[in-house]
């Protein structure tokens, strides 16, 4: 299934009743859609043409023609991928040979990265990089697996001299968020976009005047609605909720893009700091007799 179809599948139950009927029809018969006019589709689903247009815009399309073009292109890409032997996400299987597990995890991670890349809006990424470069302070929020991703970004930002925090404790997240200003930024990470602690922290940061950024998989989530910029990771983990493996890779993919974007944007400032931090760590290891 193409990324746009997965997004529709993920968002389907959150849509209004009429748009949900459209989503169900499109998911059941995607190949038919590319040959249907807007009135034909509207009549088929017993909705108005305006509802079809609104539905398409909800999924970042300019209108129904744009939706059809993107759907056709993604279906063609999915077919080529299928022919090349690249499969969709594979779940945990009882008694699976280790060699098969190695290949399955590789396929899952590669698919997660590819699908997340297809969801990224370069304009929003540019804005996010610009905000993070200018921010006096950056707060990072995440709970459980998302906290690991937040910690990864924290370690990267510290190495280039950015003033940032990444607390895994929800109370400390709120405490830190309450001290932010309009010169600061806050990034909240949540696969579902509905993690209460993460929502509370980002809401507090927003109320304090900070610029808010979210990394989530759901466009209609509470976290996305709180954000000045919402970046979307792949939400295509069919049955892969045991350990959030692919979703973590997808989130880290976005984090790495943001970090590299920052380093490239202000190369003369950040790269010397990055190199110096590396040298200092190496010298420390040598002085302690380490490798």
């Amino acid at each position: 299934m193409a990324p746009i179809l997965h997004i529709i599948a993920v968002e389907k139950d959150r849509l209004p009743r009429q748009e949900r009927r459209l989503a169900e029809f499109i998911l059941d018969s995607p190949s038919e859609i590319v040959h249907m006019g807007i009135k034909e589709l509207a009549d088929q689903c017993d909705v108005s043409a305006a509802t079809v247009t609104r539905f398409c815009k909800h999924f970042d399309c300019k209108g129904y023609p744009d939706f059809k073009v993107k759907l056709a292109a993604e279906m063609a890409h999915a077919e080529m991928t299928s022919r090349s032997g690249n499969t969709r996400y594979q779940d945990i299987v009882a008694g699976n040979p280790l060699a098969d597990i190695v290949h399955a995890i590789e396929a899952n991670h590669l698919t997660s990265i590819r699908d997340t890349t297809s969801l990224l809006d370069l304009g929003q990424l540019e804005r996010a990089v610009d905000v993070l470069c200018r921010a006096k302070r950056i707060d990072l929020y995440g709970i459980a697996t998302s906290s690991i991703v937040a910690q990864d970004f924290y370690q990267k930002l510290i190495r280039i001299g950015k003033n940032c925090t990444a607390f895994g404790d929800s109370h400390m997240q709120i405490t830190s968020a309450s001290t932010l200003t309009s010169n600061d930024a806050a990034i909240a990470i949540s696969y579902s976009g509905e993690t209460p602690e993460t929502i509370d922290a980002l809401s507090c940061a927003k109320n304090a005047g900070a610029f808010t950024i979210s990394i989530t998989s759901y466009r209609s989530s509470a976290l996305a609605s709180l954000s000045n910029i919402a970046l979307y990771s792949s939400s295509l983990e069919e049955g892969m909720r045991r350990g959030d493996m692919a979703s973590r890779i997808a989130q880290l993919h976005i984090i790495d893009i943001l970090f590299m974007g920052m380093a490239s944007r202000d190369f003369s400032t950040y790269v010397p700091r990055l190199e110096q931090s590396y040298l200092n760590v190496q010298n420390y290891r040598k002085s302690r007799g380490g490798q």
Side-chain angles (χ1 to χ4, degrees), residues 19 47 49 70 162 199 217 221 230 235 237 248 268:
E19 292 185 32
V47 300
K70 290 181 178 178
K162 292 298 291 189
I199 292 171
S217 295
S221 66
S235 57
E237 286 187 295
R248 184 188 69 249
S268 61

Side-chain angles (χ1 to χ4, degrees), residues 24-65:
E24 290 169 350
F25 182 81
I26 292 169
L27 291 171
D28 288 340
S29 310
S31 59
E32 294 181 23
I33 302 301
V34 296
H35 304 294
M36 297 176 71
I38 188 170
K39 188 177 186 306
E40 185 180 359
L41 176 59
D43 291 344
Q44 183 72 40
C45 298
D46 193 24
V47 300
S48 68
T51 299
V52 176
T53 299
R54 184 168 60 249
F55 175 90
C56 295
K57 289 182 176 180
H58 178 81
F59 294 100
D60 296 332
C61 296
K62 297 175 182 178
Y64 183 58

Side-chain angles (χ1 to χ4, degrees), residues 133-155:
C133 284
R134 290 188 289 105
K136 297 296 184 183
R137 184 174 131 209
I138 300 171
D139 263 17
L140 303 165
Y141 311 134
I143 298 295
T145 303
S146 294
S147 175
I148 298 173
V149 179
Q151 285 291 331
D152 181 85
F153 202 15
Y154 167 75
Q155 292 185 40

Side-chain angles (χ1 to χ4, degrees), residues 2 4 20 31 33 52-53 55 61 69 78 83 101 104 118 125 136 156 164 171 189 192 212 224 235 259 263 266:
I4 194 168
R20 192 159 59 246
S31 59
I33 302 301
V52 176
T53 299
F55 175 90
C61 296
V69 169
R83 288 176 180 174
I101 292 173
S118 73
L125 277 173
K136 297 296 184 183
K156 286 179 168 65
C164 61
H171 294 111
I189 306 166
S192 68
T212 55
S235 57
F259 177 73
D266 200 351

Side-chain angles (χ1 to χ4, degrees), residues 61-114:
C61 296
K62 297 175 182 178
Y64 183 58
D66 185 40
F67 177 84
K68 287 204 301 180
V69 169
K70 290 181 178 178
L71 178 59
E74 291 183 357
M75 287 179 65
H77 175 75
E79 184 177 352
M80 290 176 60
T81 300
S82 177
R83 288 176 180 174
S84 68
N86 202 343
T87 58
R88 302 306 300 168
Y89 292 103
Q90 301 175 50
D91 205 351
I92 299 172
V93 178
N96 213 13
L98 186 58
D100 290 351
I101 292 173
V102 170
H103 291 304
I105 295 300
E106 177 190 31
N108 289 342
H109 289 178
L110 290 173
T111 301
S112 178
I113 291 171
R114 185 188 65 243

